[in-house]
Amino acid sequence: MTSQPLLSIRDLTIRFPTERGFATAVNHLDLDLTAGQVLGLVGESGCGKSLTSLAILRLVPAPGDIASGRIHFEGQDLLTLSESQMRDLRGSRIAMIPQDPLTSLNRSEEHTSEL
């Protein structure tokens, strides 16, 4: 029995406008992640790891855009949800740990020296 993917990405392309046209940062990415599975995105700096995560959260920084693709999470097409619906999902059902989590997580000053 095959389980449905928790997260399914098809044909994801993220691009940024330049003076000479568009620069493609992520090009036709396909990815499936089932519940309980762990996935690490590994690659050189600038290869699109963070942009892929930001696209899942629909937080690609302007002037970038998702030029093509589908992103389904728990059966919902994230690219068709309203901004209000996305806000409800972010942080409660889906989140991103940045590349340097120690600089972004809340921690008290007394524990900072232990890190």
Side-chain angles (χ1 to χ4, degrees):
M1 178 161 99
T2 310
S3 61
Q4 285 287 88
L6 178 65
L7 175 69
S8 180
I9 299 174
R10 291 290 171 267
D11 194 37
L12 179 65
T13 298
I14 304 169
R15 64 185 186 173
F16 289 83
T18 70
E19 292 177 6
R20 300 165 88 189
F22 286 97
T24 301
V26 175
N27 196 18
H28 303 290
L29 174 70
D30 289 333
L31 178 143
D32 284 324
L33 185 65
T34 58
Q37 185 180 17
V38 176
L39 172 71
L41 295 178
V42 179
E44 295 179 18
S45 179
C47 74
K49 302 178 300 288
S50 294
L51 275 176
T52 297
S53 298
L54 290 170
I56 294 166
L57 295 168
R58 283 203 7 222
L59 295 173
V60 173
D65 73 338
I66 297 173
S68 70
R70 294 184 316 275
I71 302 172
H72 287 89
F73 176 71
E74 296 181 334
Q76 293 182 296
D77 184 351
L78 298 182
L79 299 181
T80 63
L81 296 181
S82 70
E83 184 55 36
S84 174
Q85 291 170 309
M86 280 303 300
R87 273 194 307 273
D88 290 342
L89 281 176
R90 288 186 204 116
S92 64
R93 300 289 305 142
I94 192 167
M96 172 182 162
I97 299 173
Q99 290 178 3
D100 188 5
L102 291 180
T103 62
S104 61
L105 297 175
N106 291 333
R107 59 182 191 252
S108 67
E109 286 188 36
E110 64 188 79
H111 297 302
T112 302
S113 61
E114 296 173 14
L115 299 175

